[in-house]
Amino acid sequence: MPELSAIHFLIGIAVLLGVAYAAYRQYEKKKKSDITIPLPERLRTDLKFGYYGTLGNQIKETFDHINVLWEAPMTGSDPIRSIRDAGIDTILDVQACVFKHNSRWDSSFRENAEELLTIFFDQLRSEGILHLIKVIVPIDEPNATTKEADLRQAVEVIRKVIPNYHELDGVKLASIYYGGKPYFATELFDIIGFDKYNRRSGIFSPGAMYDELKSLLKPGQQTIIMPGGSYGQDPTPFVNFAHANPEVWGVIPFMWATTEDDGSPVPGIRDLPVRDAYVRAGESLVSI
């Protein structure tokens, strides 16, 4: 009967849609889960390990298992003191010099960026710590916080000022993008990376987010990988992946110290059960 055929057809469609939806949910779940990445037999000896941002007593608490400092503009941070106290290779975020913040997700290029950057570098030179700056970051998550034209202007000014300081010979430029939004101007940087903590180490699945970023690399470009320790991520797959992939410059977990974001607490690794795992991860890299 025609009516039954139509009903059977609709039921069949519903079943297919249900199967497709279940498969999609499973796929999404897999993307957000940790995957097994074995440690290769041959370990690298050139990897960097350090935490995004520096707050409070962090240097004293982490100095035995880091080999790079990331100095980012955070409430309560003191970049000159941190760089001087650590005395190690440093990644320096200079967004306060080259961007003005109109709102949290809207930053634009500062017209006096060259002047402010020069003042800041002169201050670091006078403190005798400018030579410790090995990587410069214009702004965090530029594809979520600013426009491509502004980022390009900022990088142009940074590259214009760098040659005025012999201490910065060989310095690299880096950018950490927001994962899930289109990347732009990646060719301007020596090192690129992204953060997408809810995907965990699933970002390394074949064809997933890391492969998408890697496909943008030009000859000589490297990557930074960022496990979300504040979100309870296991650092082991990230460390193992870094050992197995020569383009990885370093592992930079987010983040050691507990802080606030718009008044809400953001737990740091130091106050979470994953603390010991990150300490061991860092020790395994800096002791090689």
Side-chain angles (χ1 to χ4, degrees):
M1 297 176 64
E3 293 84 355
L4 289 178
S5 296
I7 292 172
H8 290 157
F9 175 77
L10 292 174
I11 291 173
I13 292 294
V15 170
L16 289 174
L17 289 174
V19 170
Y21 179 71
Y24 171 76
R25 287 296 299 267
Q26 187 65 26
Y27 171 70
E28 286 295 308
K29 182 178 180 181
K30 184 177 181 180
K31 285 199 304 183
K32 297 179 181 180
S33 301
D34 278 319
I35 62 173
T36 300
I37 300 176
L39 185 68
E41 292 184 8
R42 188 169 184 175
L43 303 182
R44 294 176 56 185
T45 60
D46 60 339
L47 286 166
K48 293 296 185 180
F49 184 92
Y51 298 95
Y52 178 88
T54 308
L55 289 172
N57 295 322
Q58 180 173 329
I59 293 173
K60 182 178 180 180
E61 295 168 354
T62 64
F63 196 72
D64 60 347
H65 67 277
I66 64 170
N67 57 10
V68 69
L69 184 76
W70 187 308
E71 188 52 48
M74 304 174 71
T75 301
S77 66
D78 184 346
I80 290 178
R81 177 182 176 183
S82 296
I83 296 168
R84 185 176 57 237
D85 289 352
I88 60 176
D89 289 356
T90 298
I91 304 167
L92 180 65
D93 186 318
V94 297
Q95 62 182 283
C97 296
V98 296
F99 282 94
K100 54 186 176 183
H101 298 287
N102 308 311
S103 66
R104 182 180 180 185
W105 300 111
D106 178 22
S107 297
S108 55
F109 175 70
R110 285 187 183 274
E111 295 302 326
N112 62 339
E114 183 176 348
E115 176 188 356
L116 293 178
L117 201 59
T118 298
I119 291 171
F120 189 32
F121 285 169
D122 283 347
Q123 189 175 9
L124 294 175
R125 171 183 272 178
S126 70
E127 294 284 342
I129 55 178
L130 184 60
H131 68 285
L132 295 172
I133 309 305
K134 303 302 181 183
V135 179
I136 293 174
V137 176
I139 190 171
D140 190 41
E141 297 180 331
N143 57 334
T145 55
T146 191
K147 296 179 175 63
E148 179 175 353
D150 291 87
L151 179 63
R152 289 187 178 277
Q153 281 187 287
V155 171
E156 182 179 355
V157 167
I158 292 169
R159 290 202 180 278
K160 179 181 178 181
V161 173
I162 284 174
N164 298 331
Y165 300 89
H166 66 85
E167 296 94 334
L168 296 177
D169 289 351
V171 72
K172 297 178 182 293
L173 263 62
S175 183
I176 302 300
Y177 293 87
Y178 177 76
K181 297 194 71 169
Y183 306 131
F184 51 66
T186 57
E187 79 282 356
L188 299 180
F189 300 98
D190 304 292
I191 308 169
I192 58 176
F194 67 90
D195 53 55
K196 193 65 174 177
Y197 305 124
N198 66 334
R199 294 294 178 87
R200 311 180 75 82
S201 59
I203 62 172
F204 301 123
S205 298
M209 298 183 75
Y210 184 85
D211 279 354
E212 293 174 6
L213 182 80
K214 187 176 177 180
S215 71
L216 302 176
L217 294 182
K218 305 296 183 183
Q221 281 186 306
Q222 297 174 284
T223 65
I224 282 176
I225 55 178
M226 304 186 72
S230 290
Y231 298 82
Q233 282 188 2
D234 178 5
T236 303
F238 290 81
V239 171
N240 293 357
F241 184 88
H243 277 299
N245 290 270
E247 78 281 357
V248 177
W249 181 85
V251 181
I252 307 293
F254 182 88
M255 63 185 179
W256 179 259
T258 294
T259 185
E260 288 189 357
D261 183 22
D262 282 352
S264 300
V266 179
I269 291 167
R270 59 164 295 182
D271 298 316
L272 294 172
V274 293
R275 172 180 177 145
D276 289 346
Y278 278 87
V279 173
R280 290 193 300 270
E283 289 174 343
S284 74
L285 293 177
V286 304
S287 64
I288 294 177

